[in-house]
Amino acid sequence: MHSHFLSHFFFFFLLVPLLCLLLLSFPHTVHCQCSKRPPVIFNFGDSNSDTGGLAAGLGFPINSPNGRIFFNRSTGRFSDGRLLIDLLCQSLNTSFVSPYLDFLGGSKFTNGANFAVAGSATLPKFVPFSLSIQLMQFLHYKARTLELVTTGAGNSINDEGFRNALYMIDIGQNDLSNSFSKNLTYAQVIKRIPSIITQIKNAINTLYNQGGRNFWIHNTGPFGCLPQKLSLVQNKDLDPYGCISSYNSAARVFNEGLRHLCIEMRSELKDAKVVYVDIYSIKYDLIANATKYGFSSPLMACCGFGGPPYNYNMKVTCGNPGSQACDDGSKFISWDGIHYTEAANTIIASKVLSTAYSTPRTTFDFFCSQLTI
């Protein structure tokens, strides 16, 4: 009897962690109670959250094998499947947020709009599609939408919808990356960071003055670990995991400035909730502990040209003639040398949804009526 009890005890002891891991790996653990307040999301950013803006806005070709899993076709996303923002939307049981520029796609924008476009930065301010331009597009979109509401247009977002919406910002990586590409010294890149932070502060203030109260701010990832950077940079100063130390150091300085900005905004903006999400730590952990997560060659692109160690060639990028994709993207963190695979994004999403990387610790559905399972 005693041994029977012990066997059950150890079975339970082993089963609970296993169940926890399974739940953590599945990003659909929190849902909005959409019957009371359908989730509305507005996103501003770069290619990390571009769901088709570059393709729709400039006709930029993003060819197969992009989108080869889940969508089974290219959707303008730089990945083999879903992005982090897609997985976060799915956790709310809402549809993907459509690119603002995709009016030809017949998008209804009933659950918000995505203003993110690949290549975007905060500076210079007035070049397509900088953060300032994305904000101008939002202001135009909001004014036009509220006009439609007054004419009795059925499914348009009303003033309350804009007020209760979630405003996501994920930008800054290109500011840092472009600075290094222009051969600025590390000290010169660091000197630019306060100006980048100021642009993000201005964006938050603009959205707040428009009635926005719910903000979800992603910091920037360890871009010194991107196969693209590793293949292009000569005389690399590598850390123990093979990433460029100076690039990642600049990312951490930027992130610290962004974290302080969020603290400042919380005290300055009355009745606003500003959540800071540490994407850097999540992504760096994926690379540092790749085998634990089932990934091989964490610094090598699945889709590209050139083979090991990085499989990246600027003249033969993923989707262009001569490039080749690996058979199993689930074994790779990097999809095309710059962006992540759906497999990596799924783990990132589960960690974001865990609240462990959010300050303050906040469930992603905080902006709408909450129902947890």
Side-chain angles (χ1 to χ4, degrees):
M1 186 71 177
H2 184 66
S3 61
H4 182 70
F5 170 79
L6 280 176
S7 64
H8 277 74
F9 174 79
F10 284 117
F11 175 75
F12 180 77
F13 183 77
L14 291 168
L15 183 63
V16 169
L18 179 61
L19 287 172
C20 289
L21 283 171
L22 286 171
L23 286 170
L24 187 62
S25 67
F26 190 67
H28 310 295
T29 56
V30 181
H31 300 286
C32 272
Q33 195 169 341
C34 299
S35 59
K36 290 187 177 179
R37 185 186 296 167
V40 175
I41 297 173
F42 295 105
N43 181 68
F44 306 85
D46 52 32
S47 60
N48 289 308
S49 57
D50 180 354
T51 53
L54 183 66
L58 297 179
F60 189 89
I62 302 169
N63 304 318
S64 175
N66 286 289
R68 70 180 184 180
I69 62 172
F70 190 81
F71 300 103
N72 297 313
R73 64 182 180 87
S74 176
T75 60
R77 290 165 172 80
F78 289 91
S79 180
D80 56 345
R82 290 165 292 180
L83 308 182
L84 171 59
I85 187 173
D86 297 318
L87 295 158
L88 294 179
C89 284
Q90 285 189 310
S91 78
L92 300 175
N93 278 347
T94 190
S95 55
F96 300 136
V97 183
S98 298
Y100 168 69
L101 295 167
D102 194 22
F103 58 92
L104 289 177
S107 300
K108 302 298 182 186
F109 302 114
T110 54
N111 68 326
N114 189 0
F115 298 88
V117 175
S120 296
T122 69
L123 295 168
K125 284 178 66 173
F126 298 113
V127 298
F129 289 91
S130 69
L131 181 58
S132 295
I133 295 292
Q134 292 180 30
L135 283 168
M136 289 166 65
Q137 291 175 323
F138 168 77
L139 296 175
H140 174 77
Y141 164 82
K142 183 186 177 189
R144 181 71 182 121
T145 299
L146 293 179
E147 275 179 25
L148 291 172
V149 170
T150 60
T151 63
N155 293 324
S156 296
I157 300 168
N158 59 19
D159 195 57
E160 183 185 7
F162 281 101
R163 191 167 57 252
N164 293 325
L166 181 67
Y167 294 87
M168 300 178 66
I169 298 177
D170 185 345
I171 203 163
Q173 180 173 310
N174 288 326
D175 288 277
L176 300 173
S177 176
N178 294 343
S179 297
F180 280 111
S181 297
K182 293 172 183 172
N183 291 323
L184 296 185
T185 66
Y186 175 80
Q188 289 172 321
V189 174
I190 298 304
K191 195 173 179 181
R192 295 192 72 223
I193 287 175
S195 300
I196 303 168
I197 299 292
T198 296
Q199 293 308 311
I200 296 173
K201 179 179 181 178
N202 292 343
I204 295 171
N205 277 323
T206 297
L207 294 169
Y208 179 84
N209 292 333
Q210 287 290 314
R213 292 297 181 268
N214 305 306
F215 300 94
W216 188 267
I217 316 296
H218 287 178
N219 72 13
T220 202
F223 68 100
C225 300
L226 299 178
Q228 178 212 40
K229 303 302 176 196
L230 290 162
S231 71
L232 295 177
V233 176
Q234 305 299 319
N235 304 317
K236 297 182 281 288
D237 51 320
L238 300 181
D239 71 10
Y241 300 106
C243 304
I244 303 172
S245 298
S246 56
Y247 283 29
N248 285 351
S249 175
R252 290 193 299 271
V253 173
F254 168 79
N255 290 341
E256 186 62 12
L258 189 63
R259 188 180 71 83
H260 278 286
L261 172 66
C262 291
I263 293 170
E264 180 186 326
M265 294 284 92
R266 278 182 221 120
S267 62
E268 284 185 11
L269 304 182
K270 184 184 175 184
D271 67 7
K273 192 147 192 176
V274 182
V275 182
Y276 169 82
V277 187
D278 187 6
I279 298 294
Y280 181 98
S281 291
I282 297 173
K283 288 184 172 180
Y284 194 71
D285 174 56
L286 268 190
I287 290 155
N289 298 292
T291 52
K292 183 179 88 172
Y293 295 105
F295 296 115
S296 57
S297 305
L299 303 179
M300 184 168 142
C302 164
C303 182
F305 178 80
Y310 306 124
N311 196 37
Y312 183 87
N313 185 310
M314 190 167 59
K315 296 177 181 177
V316 191
T317 55
C318 183
N320 289 309
S323 67
Q324 289 186 321
C326 64
D327 292 332
D328 186 1
S330 68
K331 300 295 183 187
F332 285 76
I333 293 173
S334 178
W335 165 241
D336 57 6
I338 305 170
H339 310 96
Y340 285 56
T341 60
E342 179 177 285
N345 285 331
T346 301
I347 295 172
I348 294 165
S350 71
K351 288 179 177 287
V352 170
L353 291 170
S354 77
T355 76
Y357 296 86
S358 301
T359 307
R361 289 192 69 154
T362 309
T363 57
F364 184 63
D365 69 344
F366 75 92
F367 65 102
C368 61
S369 301
Q370 189 170 304
L371 176 67
T372 58
I373 61 169

